[in-house]
Amino acid sequence: NCIGVSSVLLDRLMAGFFTSEPVLEAVNIVMLTLNCLTSSGTYASRTLANVDQNLLVADTAHIARLTCLTAIHRSRPMGAYDEGDDELKLAVLTKIGQSMRQLLLVPSNLLGAQASRRQGYPTPAPNTRFFPLWQSASLSRCCPPSVSCTYPDLTIIDEPDRAFVITLMADIHSMLLDSRRDIREQAVVVVVSLLQRRRGIMSELLITDIPRGDRIDTVDLMNRGGFGALLVAHEATTIAENIGPGKNMSQERSNSIPGKMKYGSFFEWLERNQDQIAAVFHGIHIQASRLDFTTHVGAATPEEAIENEQKVMLLKLTSQDSSDRTILGGLERAELAQLSHEATAESHSLWKRQGFDDLSSGAMQWKFLLRQLKGSCTIWEGGVNFDQNPLFAKSRLVSKLLARRDDSEESDDKSNAIATENTVKRWKLDLTEGYERQRRRLLPNYEFHGLYNIDEKSDNVGYVDIVSADGVENGEDAATENITESDTTTLADSSASANPTQISESGEAYGQSVQDVLPAEMEITADLLKKMKLEKRNDEYEDEFENMDMDDEENDDYGLGLGDDVSVMGTFTVGGDDSVHPSMLSDRKNQASNDADTKRQGEDENEHTEDENDKSNISASSYDLITGLLKAGDWPEKSYNVNRCTGLEVRKALLLWCRNALYVVDGFEQTDGEGLKGKINRLKKATTSYQVNIRGTSGTGGITREKNKGKEKSSNESSDEEITYQHRSQRIAFSDLYSVYRRRYQLQQNALEFYDVHRNGTLLAFSTHTEREEVLSKVLSSPLPSSIFSSSILGGSTSINYKKFMNNLRAKITSQWVQGKMTNFDFIMHMNSFAGRTYNDLTQYPVFPWVLADYESEELDLNDPSIYRDLSKPMGAQNENRAVQFRDRFEALEQSYEMGDGPPPFHYGTHYSCAAYVLYYLMRLEPFSRLALSLQGGKFDVADRLFHNVGASWRSASSENLQDVRELIPEFFYLPDFLVNSNMFDFGTTQLGKTVHDLTLPPWAKGDPKRFIRIHRQALESDHVSRHLHQWLDLIFGYKQRGREAVASLNTFVHVTYEGQVDLESITDPVERDSIIAQIQNFGQTPSRLERKPFPQRNVVVAFKEKGVDFNALASLASMTPPFCVVGAPHRVYVRVGAIDTCKVGMAGQVDSSVGDLFLVKGQLIGVGRTCSLILPSKKYYRFGGPNNGVSVHVAVASARHREVNKVLSIHDGMHRGPISVARASLNGLWLLTGCIDSTVRVWKYNGQNMQLQATICGHDGGKITCLDISTVFGTIVSGGTDGKILVWDLRTLTFLRQLHHLPSPSSASREGPRKALPAKSISINHKNGNIVTLVHNTLCVFDINGNLVAKHDPEINFDGSDIPSCAISTDCPEWME
């Protein structure tokens, strides 16, 4: 059987189905089989009779000879673009040289008779016992007559050993002339073996008559030097080696590993007699071509071999003449032909439509790829114009070499100017969440210019990422200028500037008519509620929220919104194209009504057309339409119609449930069917652009207005040249799913929010509550190794009760906060999440409190209680005079309600949080600027109603404006970028002449947005706020949210803002229903109530008191104390060395004792050598820098499983093309970065066993990579090299973000002469705020996560000796902890 299998491999090899590796495996298999048959002591030699063994040896040797010769032929170039495989050629030659004796073995006794080699090999009779054995030894003997084998059988070849020698010598000629020395020497070894074992055949071949004109010359390459001398020299050398000390070395090894000097004279002779040798081997080639010993490969590639095989099969099918020639058969064939024609036409239609979809998807992929390429380190930017000066032009290469040689300061300045001019100028907020769910990072905003109709070439906004030395030096002057401008500018009226929607009683909105102003939100009045004709739901909500007397069991049950038994209806936005949030529909109600009438008429007219086109649209009902957007191996098992929500933008999509992942595919909707049999419709994508003015950046400070014509293209108006179908496919693998939460959408419990391991949130609204619960149940039943629901957290339980899990999680988080193990900011974010608030829905944005009440003082004392807002009262009760008016309103409405002539009473007609308020705060920051424009009809609101002064907004919300009770958003406590008009929008001028630009900050901020954010966060985390924050939580999320406690606390809002208070199912008209939902959502939504009892108060402890130190308080303060700080110490602390030890882990092969990585884990200090990187969770380490161009994994700390430190656990070879110069593991141990001497960086995923390559990122200009760092919290990779560049990359998309620019001080530049690239020594990321600490040469810098220079330490003196810094590490200290 092994021999027969070898013949099958030979047949497929000669047909061309194998590449190099399978070819070599086939050679190894047949050689192993031959050795087993010819060696003594094997199972075959013991069990087979002599005649049987001789028969099988003959066939095996024949198959082995053909396999080796075919493999040599396959190693040659097979086409114009095939370079061949020298490694395969060398390996096969080695095998032939080692097994030449077996290959030339020809048994003399076959089938019990003495057979001559010149008479061929006999064929046994079918009735003999030899026939089955003989037949099974070769594929050619088993094939039917209609099938021909690709190789010749042994029975048809005369003198098989002679045919083998001739064919092999024909191939040897080219190998003796090969450019590689090892191939030439191995070819000589094969020739020597042939001369020793078949000298007669070799003499016939090497001694030949060659006609030269009229005479014939005899050329003897055997006896007149050359090959004969080669054999003599080989035998002499062998005798000398056997006599000398090396006589124990086997003859086989000496033949297979020749010395360089052994065949030196032969190669010299070969070079001198090239003409004669070529003539002799030409004759050998002619003899080989006349033999039946065919070794040619039938196809150059496996693909071509498959195509040839298919052609043969087709010819066989067409040659079979078995069709029915009767009349009935003809009719049947005609009918089948018609059906085949229809099926072909239908298939063509399907593939045509799918082709258009693939083109659309491909266009999106190209767009994404071009965005990846568009960065300061790519071909798109940061260089000269490639059209005028090609990339590989001679002039450019020469100038670059000259520039490197000269290394002049002038050329560097010029290149820096070019890079500055072409780098990314516009940025937008990254919507992924980092530490404490903060969104700090900015991404390139490539769609900015197209969205706002701005010419990118004439865009004069400076690049925010580039911070020059002058900019750092002039920072104080700029801050002073900003403060002066704030002080000298007259502030607008607070009531006018704070509220973006207030309209005066006279009907004028600050100089404009009511019709000219589009309000951002509206105040609810009793008359408006009557016109809306809303009906209250008649279900359990009344009893649940009005009856505030609850027993202890209800108090212990943490509710998460609606119960599972509540049934609600889902709604979709009217229209087939991209839609906006229903809050944008309130001002379009009349237009929607008119469109509905037109639509009804169009439905009647198009009814017949749709019936006629049902057959042509058959392709739309196939899920093959979207499989091209899925990953290979994924197939949808079920689909759901969903709405993907991002801010105010809503896009219809399909949620596809696959075995290992979820897919959200935008632009599709399933209709007319259930499951995977429904009809799929593609939805057009609308494009929108806006009319905005951009501020000028000239020295005069004037405003230049660009004449940009705004335009808005709907799906019906888009031209044929544009792509109107864009389908974004997002894959959420269950292995990468971090969490899933129940969410509300349009006041209904029908949405889910998914978060992946990169903290990227996806909010999906389902059609019904039932579908939402079905998907949630299926997700929780799937394996989720990276999620908060993983079995490690649940103690091994496989079934997950979502409500119980969330209740336990919330109780755990609350306990941590009470004990002081969690910040106030983090706890408020958790409560927002549990209450259904999310960044992905601006109508339910996370709500934060105003904490300060002093926005006028020059300095703030955070220990003074008078500067804080009263957290026990809502914003409407902060001022007593205004509180009286709200109380009177409630009493008046209460009397009307009791008389049955009015809605339920409320204190406030507006809310503390809605989409308009969120965009009011974030209007300066993209992508919120475009959302603000969408909400305002394509233009920014009037300047007086924009957010331009923090103090004025506080006064408006706390005391001066009856329509303003707004709270804050999370960005006020961590993101200074939203306070600055970095996009240079022209917001206009107020009626008092103030230009609205950057936000006017309080005096104590000193004009610095970062200082304002830092002090504001310090106030939130202060002892005073910590002691009283639970009172504010009671108002927003707790027992004071509804009922009698809410009335007593002056904390009631319009009843339609509370979930479950409106019966949307009773509204049948979809247009009216969407309009009412939009109006309700404009008012705001109250979060789900989390507690029906008071929130616990946080324990605030102070360690250092007047009488001494309270040591009992140190334990509770330890978790919140930054590194290198003494717990509880309010003053400066000096750290001294307590002990010195020498690192012993990972030091093998290291000359010095330098440490490469260091961690303190649970009081245990772990350090490893210079060429090592620690894997913190598993207490292992990577070792790099070896000759294998890879890494090895070792034990760093002994454990019960691994008791030996430094033990090798796994080795991963060939990770780079060159030696690895640096490696860095992520804190969670799942990612590994490796840098190479060829300036490339590779990103790997490590699952404990396998290393999976994710990407190779390139951006450094030559030289090795010297330092790396990675933060999975903020999704950031930073790399540095000897070229001096420090580049920042996005871990989630593995794309380039920005370059950190280091400009040396003038003093250091003057000392060093012309500017040179200084190598980057160290990089470190702060995992609490994303700051990046860099050490380039001797310059230490701190950048924020967006590349802005925060601090710089450039010593004025040169370091020497041991004083030179070599490493800089960033602690995980938040910026608000001073």
Side-chain angles (χ1 to χ4, degrees):
N1 290 336
C2 293
I3 303 171
V5 170
S6 299
S7 68
V8 174
L9 296 178
L10 172 62
D11 180 74
R12 296 295 87 190
L13 169 60
M14 297 187 69
F17 283 94
F18 291 169
T19 55
S20 295
E21 293 183 2
V23 168
L24 187 58
E25 286 297 323
V27 172
N28 292 332
I29 290 173
V30 70
M31 286 298 187
L32 181 61
T33 305
L34 182 60
N35 290 332
C36 291
L37 282 171
T38 56
S39 301
S40 61
T42 61
Y43 178 78
S45 62
R46 293 196 306 267
T47 56
L48 290 174
N50 188 29
V51 178
D52 298 340
Q53 185 177 8
N54 291 340
L55 183 66
L56 294 180
V57 166
D59 283 318
T60 309
H62 174 67
I63 295 173
R65 291 190 288 263
L66 288 176
T67 304
C68 293
L69 292 174
T70 308
I72 292 177
H73 185 81
R74 186 66 183 84
S75 66
R76 300 173 184 170
M78 301 293 292
Y81 301 99
D82 187 4
E83 299 178 356
D85 192 343
D86 290 340
E87 298 299 330
L88 175 63
K89 182 186 302 181
L90 179 62
V92 175
L93 278 177
T94 304
K95 282 288 182 182
I96 294 175
Q98 294 173 349
S99 305
M100 184 62 73
R101 182 183 65 84
Q102 292 89 339
L103 291 172
L104 295 177
L105 187 61
V106 181
S108 58
N109 184 13
L110 291 177
L111 304 179
Q114 297 292 333
S116 173
R117 284 179 289 180
R118 293 184 176 273
Q119 296 176 356
Y121 287 82
T123 302
N127 56 354
T128 62
R129 71 177 184 88
F130 300 108
F131 186 79
L133 192 66
W134 173 84
Q135 188 179 32
S136 63
S138 178
L139 176 66
S140 60
R141 301 163 188 169
C142 303
C143 295
S146 60
V147 179
S148 59
C149 240
T150 56
Y151 69 92
D153 190 64
L154 178 63
T155 57
I156 66 173
I157 297 180
D158 295 333
E159 299 183 275
D161 55 342
R162 177 183 175 83
F164 171 65
V165 172
I166 294 175
T167 308
L168 181 59
M169 285 298 294
D171 292 331
I172 285 293
H173 180 224
S174 61
M175 300 179 196
L176 292 174
L177 304 176
D178 198 278
S179 59
R180 289 182 51 170
R181 185 170 63 93
D182 51 355
I183 294 179
R184 296 197 306 270
E185 292 178 349
Q186 194 59 47
V188 170
V189 172
V190 174
V191 172
V192 170
S193 298
L194 292 175
L195 290 172
Q196 291 175 335
R197 293 178 172 84
R198 293 292 185 270
R199 188 181 184 91
I201 299 176
M202 293 291 289
S203 298
E204 294 177 9
L205 296 177
L206 298 177
I207 302 174
T208 182
D209 294 334
I210 300 177
R212 299 184 183 275
D214 298 334
R215 58 188 177 86
I216 297 179
D217 294 340
T218 301
V219 178
D220 186 357
L221 301 181
M222 188 70 181
N223 300 317
R224 299 176 184 176
F227 289 94
L230 174 65
L231 180 59
V232 174
H234 174 79
E235 293 176 349
T237 305
T238 304
I239 295 173
E241 290 177 351
N242 292 333
I243 296 175
K247 62 182 178 180
N248 294 330
M249 183 180 298
S250 64
Q251 181 70 24
E252 294 291 339
R253 185 175 179 184
S254 65
N255 287 342
S256 60
I257 309 177
K260 179 179 180 181
M261 300 301 297
K262 182 188 294 186
Y263 306 125
S265 59
F266 171 75
F267 287 117
E268 293 177 358
W269 172 84
L270 196 68
E271 186 176 358
R272 291 195 305 269
N273 300 275
Q274 291 183 5
D275 296 338
Q276 292 183 355
I277 295 172
V280 171
F281 275 96
H282 176 69
I284 296 176
H285 277 283
I286 294 175
Q287 294 186 52
S289 63
R290 296 172 180 173
L291 298 173
D292 294 329
F293 216 68
T294 305
T295 59
H296 295 288
V297 180
T301 61
E303 292 79 8
E304 184 179 344
I306 294 173
E307 184 178 354
N308 294 339
E309 191 77 10
Q310 291 174 345
K311 290 179 180 178
V312 172
M313 295 172 62
L314 182 61
L315 289 174
K316 290 181 180 179
L317 291 176
T318 55
S319 63
Q320 295 177 357
D321 190 10
S322 59
S323 58
D324 188 2
R325 299 183 180 277
T326 62
I327 298 178
L328 183 60
L331 295 177
E332 291 178 353
R333 289 194 300 273
E335 183 179 359
L336 290 174
Q338 181 65 24
L339 293 176
S340 176
H341 176 74
E342 294 176 355
T344 303
E346 179 180 338
S347 177
H348 286 178
S349 177
L350 169 63
W351 289 111
K352 180 180 178 181
R353 289 176 177 270
Q354 185 170 351
F356 284 124
D357 282 325
D358 291 341
L359 288 175
S360 175
S361 176
M364 291 297 295
Q365 295 294 335
W366 272 111
K367 185 177 181 181
F368 178 73
L369 177 61
L370 293 179
R371 288 184 178 181
Q372 287 180 312
L373 294 175
K374 192 173 183 181
S376 60
C377 291
T378 63
I379 63 174
W380 286 95
E381 299 182 23
V384 294
N385 191 334
F386 296 144
D387 295 335
Q388 299 176 359
N389 195 356
L391 183 61
F392 297 104
K394 179 179 179 181
S395 59
R396 182 175 183 185
L397 294 176
V398 172
S399 62
K400 190 172 183 180
L401 292 174
L402 292 176
R404 286 188 176 183
R405 186 187 65 181
D406 297 340
D407 198 18
S408 62
E409 184 175 2
E410 179 181 358
S411 62
D412 286 342
D413 293 339
K414 182 178 180 181
S415 62
N416 289 335
I418 295 175
T420 303
E421 180 181 356
N422 293 328
T423 46
V424 179
K425 301 177 181 179
R426 303 290 184 171
W427 301 84
K428 63 181 179 181
L429 186 67
D430 182 12
L431 301 183
T432 57
E433 301 174 8
Y435 177 71
E436 293 184 334
R437 298 193 62 187
Q438 299 174 8
R439 303 190 299 182
R440 294 172 173 263
R441 194 172 60 167
L442 299 181
L443 298 179
N445 190 3
Y446 296 117
E447 63 268 21
F448 181 89
H449 299 90
L451 184 67
Y452 296 108
N453 294 305
I454 298 173
D455 186 6
E456 186 172 0
K457 296 181 180 180
S458 61
D459 190 4
N460 56 2
V461 174
Y463 179 40
V464 69
D465 192 29
I466 295 182
V467 183
S468 62
D470 297 336
V472 176
E473 294 175 358
N474 298 333
E476 297 181 357
D477 299 337
T480 306
E481 181 181 353
N482 192 3
I483 296 174
T484 305
E485 180 183 354
S486 303
D487 295 338
T488 57
T489 303
T490 305
L491 299 180
D493 181 74
S494 60
S495 62
S497 61
N499 187 12
T501 60
Q502 182 185 0
I503 301 176
S504 63
E505 296 180 358
S506 61
E508 297 295 327
Y510 306 111
Q512 298 186 21
S513 63
V514 180
Q515 290 78 8
D516 294 337
V517 178
L518 180 64
E521 87 285 340
M522 63 180 70
E523 181 187 5
I524 300 182
T525 62
D527 294 337
L528 180 60
L529 291 173
K530 291 179 182 179
K531 295 178 180 179
M532 292 174 63
K533 299 179 182 180
L534 296 178
E535 297 181 4
K536 186 176 181 180
R537 292 182 62 93
N538 185 16
D539 53 17
E540 297 178 359
Y541 284 108
E542 292 188 30
D543 299 334
E544 181 180 356
F545 296 125
E546 290 184 3
N547 183 12
M548 300 301 294
D549 298 330
M550 294 156 294
D551 53 19
D552 294 338
E553 294 182 0
E554 288 180 322
N555 291 342
D556 295 336
D557 186 14
Y558 291 82
L560 282 173
L562 300 180
D564 295 337
D565 55 342
V566 180
S567 176
V568 293
M569 294 291 292
T571 60
F572 287 104
T573 307
V574 177
D577 53 62
D578 269 7
S579 58
V580 296
H581 201 280
S583 59
M584 300 173 59
L585 297 176
S586 58
D587 60 316
R588 307 176 188 175
K589 182 177 180 181
N590 296 332
Q591 180 65 28
S593 301
N594 296 334
D595 293 342
D597 297 336
T598 306
K599 182 179 179 181
R600 294 188 186 97
Q601 297 177 1
E603 289 177 354
D604 297 336
E605 297 175 357
N606 296 333
E607 182 177 0
H608 181 66
T609 305
E610 291 179 358
D611 294 337
E612 292 179 350
N613 293 337
D614 281 344
K615 187 173 182 179
S616 63
N617 292 334
I618 195 169
S619 61
S621 64
S622 173
Y623 269 81
D624 292 338
L625 199 64
I626 57 177
T627 54
L629 301 175
L630 307 185
K631 184 179 179 180
D634 287 340
W635 179 257
E637 298 177 0
K638 192 170 183 180
S639 65
Y640 304 87
N641 283 329
V642 296
N643 279 1
R644 183 207 290 266
C645 310
T646 307
L648 285 178
E649 297 176 344
V650 180
R651 186 99 196 267
K652 289 186 177 182
L654 277 180
L655 175 67
L656 303 179
W657 177 274
C658 300
R659 177 175 299 179
N660 300 318
L662 293 173
Y663 280 90
V664 184
V665 186
D666 290 349
F668 286 106
E669 182 182 24
Q670 178 177 326
T671 59
D672 301 334
E674 296 181 357
L676 301 180
K677 298 181 180 179
K679 179 181 178 181
I680 297 179
N681 294 328
R682 295 178 299 168
L683 307 177
K684 295 182 179 180
K685 186 179 188 304
T687 57
T688 306
S689 60
Y690 304 103
Q691 178 181 357
V692 296
N693 294 323
I694 302 298
R695 293 174 56 89
T697 56
S698 58
T700 58
I703 300 177
T704 61
R705 298 182 178 270
E706 300 182 7
K707 302 300 182 180
N708 301 320
K709 296 183 179 180
K711 55 183 179 180
E712 182 172 351
K713 296 182 180 180
S714 65
S715 59
N716 296 328
E717 297 173 351
S718 56
S719 63
D720 296 336
E721 298 178 354
E722 296 181 350
I723 298 176
T724 58
Y725 300 98
Q726 294 184 2
H727 308 302
R728 183 181 68 167
S729 177
Q730 178 185 0
R731 185 177 190 267
I732 306 175
F734 294 142
S735 59
D736 294 335
L737 185 64
Y738 177 74
S739 61
V740 57
Y741 297 97
R742 285 173 176 161
R743 291 288 184 251
R744 288 187 302 172
Y745 176 70
Q746 295 182 355
L747 303 176
Q748 304 168 79
Q749 285 285 352
N750 65 343
L752 289 176
E753 187 171 26
F754 299 90
Y755 284 91
D756 59 16
V757 291
H758 298 290
R759 304 304 189 271
N760 182 33
T762 303
L763 180 62
L764 302 177
F766 293 82
S767 302
T768 63
H769 171 82
T770 304
E771 287 188 354
R772 193 272 300 267
E773 292 303 312
E774 177 185 346
V775 172
L776 177 61
S777 177
K778 294 173 67 174
V779 169
L780 296 181
S781 301
S782 304
L784 306 173
S786 304
S787 75
I788 60 177
F789 307 103
S790 62
S791 57
S792 60
I793 299 178
L794 297 174
S797 176
T798 56
S799 61
I800 301 174
N801 186 313
Y802 177 83
K803 184 175 181 180
K804 182 178 180 181
F805 178 86
M806 287 298 172
N807 289 342
N808 294 335
L809 180 61
R810 182 157 57 86
K812 179 182 178 181
I813 290 174
T814 303
S815 175
Q816 291 179 349
W817 175 71
V818 171
Q819 297 173 14
K821 298 180 180 180
M822 180 181 294
T823 63
N824 293 335
F825 180 93
D826 197 11
F827 183 66
I828 296 175
M829 284 300 299
H830 278 295
M831 294 301 103
N832 275 282
S833 181
F834 285 127
R837 315 292 287 191
T838 171
Y839 284 124
N840 286 318
D841 188 356
L842 293 187
T843 65
Q844 300 183 88
Y845 209 74
V847 56
F848 269 68
W850 289 91
V851 293
L852 292 174
D854 185 357
Y855 296 91
E856 306 295 337
S857 302
E858 292 291 335
E859 300 292 338
L860 279 185
D861 181 8
L862 297 180
N863 295 320
D864 182 7
S866 63
I867 67 171
Y868 293 98
R869 163 253 181 109
D870 188 353
L871 292 171
S872 64
K873 299 179 181 180
M875 289 302 296
Q878 296 294 318
N879 180 274
E880 187 59 34
N881 294 331
R882 196 171 66 153
V884 171
Q885 300 182 54
F886 290 135
R887 194 174 290 110
D888 293 342
R889 171 194 283 179
F890 181 88
E891 293 174 355
L893 292 175
E894 187 177 26
Q895 293 179 1
S896 300
Y897 180 69
E898 292 175 352
M899 296 173 60
D901 186 25
F906 54 86
H907 291 104
Y908 315 111
T910 57
H911 205 266
Y912 51 76
S913 176
C914 67
Y917 291 157
V918 175
L919 298 178
Y920 167 78
Y921 289 131
L922 299 176
M923 64 176 187
R924 293 173 174 82
L925 183 64
E926 277 282 277
F928 302 100
S929 303
R930 69 188 70 173
L931 298 178
L933 290 170
S934 298
L935 199 63
Q936 295 292 335
K939 295 182 179 180
F940 289 112
D941 205 350
V942 293
D944 291 279
R945 295 208 300 255
L946 297 178
F947 180 45
H948 60 86
N949 189 298
V950 180
S953 295
W954 159 253
R955 292 191 298 271
S956 173
S958 62
S959 60
E960 296 180 354
N961 195 336
L962 288 176
Q963 285 77 37
D964 188 3
V965 291
R966 75 191 67 188
E967 293 279 8
L968 297 183
I969 57 176
E971 285 78 4
F972 272 88
F973 301 94
Y974 68 85
L975 187 66
D977 300 84
F978 86 99
L979 306 174
V980 181
N981 184 19
S982 59
N983 287 313
M984 303 300 292
F985 290 119
D986 181 12
F987 296 114
T989 306
T990 65
Q991 292 184 356
L992 298 178
K994 176 185 168 98
T995 299
V996 179
H997 185 38
D998 292 342
L999 188 68
T1000 301
L1001 301 175
W1004 44 262
K1006 310 301 181 184
D1008 185 2
K1010 294 183 179 179
R1011 177 181 173 88
F1012 170 80
I1013 295 295
R1014 184 175 67 252
I1015 295 177
H1016 207 212
R1017 177 66 188 272
Q1018 290 173 348
L1020 178 64
E1021 305 296 339
S1022 63
D1023 292 344
H1024 176 84
V1025 174
S1026 298
R1027 292 189 181 97
H1028 298 88
L1029 183 59
H1030 66 286
Q1031 298 174 340
W1032 181 83
L1033 295 171
D1034 290 335
L1035 295 171
I1036 305 300
F1037 307 108
Y1039 76 106
K1040 293 183 179 181
Q1041 186 191 94
R1042 304 185 186 187
R1044 293 190 297 269
E1045 292 292 340
V1047 175
S1049 303
L1050 220 69
N1051 192 39
T1052 61
F1053 299 86
V1054 179
H1055 72 285
V1056 297
T1057 64
Y1058 299 93
E1059 63 175 323
Q1061 294 299 302
V1062 178
D1063 186 10
L1064 296 176
E1065 297 178 4
S1066 61
I1067 306 174
T1068 58
D1069 186 3
V1071 177
E1072 180 182 1
R1073 188 170 181 266
D1074 289 338
S1075 178
I1076 290 176
I1077 290 176
Q1079 295 176 35
I1080 294 174
Q1081 290 193 333
N1082 278 331
F1083 306 148
Q1085 298 186 59
T1086 303
S1088 300
R1089 185 170 58 178
L1090 301 179
E1091 290 281 2
R1092 299 179 182 177
K1093 61 182 181 180
F1095 272 87
Q1097 184 179 10
R1098 181 173 183 174
N1099 299 329
V1100 179
V1101 295
V1102 179
F1104 286 79
K1105 300 180 179 179
E1106 296 180 357
K1107 297 181 180 180
V1109 179
D1110 183 6
F1111 292 97
N1112 295 326
L1114 297 181
S1116 59
L1117 294 174
S1119 60
M1120 297 298 296
T1121 303
F1124 301 108
C1125 295
V1126 175
V1127 177
H1131 51 78
R1132 183 187 296 265
V1133 175
Y1134 296 91
V1135 182
R1136 63 183 178 86
V1137 178
I1140 298 178
D1141 194 6
T1142 302
C1143 178
K1144 300 178 182 179
V1145 180
M1147 303 295 291
Q1150 186 170 318
V1151 179
D1152 56 5
S1153 300
S1154 58
V1155 178
D1157 206 353
L1158 195 68
F1159 278 105
L1160 183 66
V1161 182
K1162 296 181 180 180
Q1164 183 181 11
L1165 190 63
I1166 305 175
V1168 290
R1170 185 181 65 249
T1171 58
C1172 303
S1173 177
L1174 279 168
I1175 311 174
L1176 192 58
S1178 58
K1179 295 184 180 179
K1180 305 173 185 176
Y1181 69 88
Y1182 295 109
R1183 186 176 181 87
F1184 59 90
N1188 64 337
N1189 298 341
V1191 300
S1192 54
V1193 183
H1194 302 254
V1195 177
V1197 179
S1199 61
R1201 183 178 181 183
H1202 304 293
R1203 301 180 181 274
E1204 182 181 352
V1205 178
N1206 292 323
K1207 179 182 178 181
V1208 179
L1209 300 178
S1210 62
I1211 298 177
H1212 308 274
D1213 297 330
M1215 297 174 64
H1216 278 269
R1217 293 182 178 271
I1220 295 178
S1221 57
V1222 63
R1224 183 69 173 176
S1226 62
L1227 290 182
N1228 59 10
L1230 299 179
W1231 297 85
L1232 173 65
L1233 304 180
T1234 56
C1236 184
I1237 62 173
D1238 62 0
S1239 73
T1240 62
V1241 177
R1242 287 190 170 178
V1243 185
W1244 306 84
K1245 235 180 180 181
Y1246 180 62
N1247 60 3
Q1249 295 179 348
N1250 301 322
M1251 200 76 69
Q1252 299 176 352
L1253 178 63
Q1254 303 298 311
T1256 301
I1257 51 181
C1258 307
H1260 293 272
D1261 296 335
K1264 68 178 181 179
I1265 304 298
T1266 56
C1267 47
L1268 294 167
D1269 202 2
I1270 178 174
S1271 172
T1272 56
V1273 179
F1274 290 97
T1276 300
I1277 297 173
V1278 187
S1279 61
T1282 54
D1283 59 350
K1285 284 185 178 181
I1286 294 183
L1287 307 180
V1288 183
W1289 311 82
D1290 184 4
L1291 175 62
R1292 182 169 62 90
T1293 60
L1294 296 172
T1295 54
F1296 173 79
L1297 289 181
R1298 57 177 55 84
Q1299 178 181 349
L1300 304 183
H1301 296 270
H1302 295 75
L1303 299 179
S1305 62
S1307 58
S1308 62
S1310 61
R1311 291 192 304 267
E1312 298 173 3
R1315 186 181 305 169
K1316 297 181 179 180
L1318 303 177
K1321 293 183 178 180
S1322 179
I1323 294 171
S1324 182
I1325 303 177
N1326 187 325
H1327 299 281
K1328 292 293 180 65
N1329 56 26
N1331 285 355
I1332 303 171
V1333 176
T1334 65
L1335 180 62
V1336 177
H1337 192 52
N1338 298 332
T1339 303
L1340 180 68
C1341 296
V1342 180
F1343 296 86
D1344 66 13
I1345 194 173
N1346 296 317
N1348 301 312
L1349 184 62
V1350 177
K1352 179 180 180 181
H1353 173 69
D1354 190 10
E1356 295 298 330
I1357 60 174
N1358 286 325
F1359 288 100
D1360 54 4
S1362 60
D1363 294 333
I1364 298 178
S1366 60
C1367 184
I1369 301 297
S1370 172
T1371 64
D1372 286 343
C1373 178
E1375 70 275 7
W1376 57 270
M1377 288 188 175
E1378 291 186 341

